Amino acid sequence: MTPSISVNVTEELAYIQLSSAEVNRTIEITPSVMADLDEWDVVVGIELLDFAATTSARDIASSAHLKEGDEQAVDALLKNLSRIHLQSGTLTSGSKVAVHSSGNNKLETC
């Protein structure tokens, strides 16, 4: 199964599904991140109860078995989720935004 993500932007909830295996139990990674495990304690899915929750595949793998092939997919999906959070916010005249250039890209103000 290809990992996928389901997002509820209104409630700021997300679920990353890694497997179609039956969920045997759920453990807490952080107060805002839960991992659903199968009968062999392999991560089946990851529940994010807040878009602002910060975690990584490494954090999840420290508490449960995360298949090696799923680690990169989880990190990529989490990165995309953080972009959704950024895009769903509102900037005001008092907002501060940090911008960094990767490589030799020139940053311009707009």
Side-chain angles (χ1 to χ4, degrees):
M1 171 180 187
T2 301
S4 63
I5 188 166
S6 302
V7 177
N8 180 326
V9 177
T10 306
E11 299 294 325
E12 290 200 5
L13 303 171
Y15 188 77
I16 297 173
Q17 186 167 0
L18 302 173
S19 165
S20 59
E22 186 175 323
V23 175
N24 187 47
R25 67 187 185 109
T26 301
I27 62 169
E28 182 178 284
I29 305 298
T30 71
S32 298
V33 180
M34 308 293 173
D36 291 336
L37 310 178
D38 67 11
E39 62 183 314
W40 295 284
D41 285 344
V42 175
V43 179
V44 171
I46 302 160
E47 302 171 42
L48 298 141
L49 307 177
D50 182 354
F51 280 5
T54 56
T55 194
S56 68
R58 177 177 281 170
D59 294 336
I60 295 163
S62 71
S63 299
H65 180 70
L66 186 60
K67 292 180 182 176
E68 186 176 326
D70 288 340
E71 290 181 23
Q72 288 180 331
V74 167
D75 279 335
L77 290 168
L78 289 170
K79 185 176 181 179
N80 286 335
L81 184 62
S82 70
R83 289 181 183 142
I84 291 171
H85 175 67
L86 175 64
Q87 292 172 358
S88 66
T90 303
L91 295 176
T92 66
S93 60
S95 297
K96 294 182 180 180
V97 178
V99 179
H100 303 277
S101 173
S102 60
N104 292 326
N105 298 328
K106 182 179 178 183
L107 300 175
E108 297 179 19
T109 59
C110 52

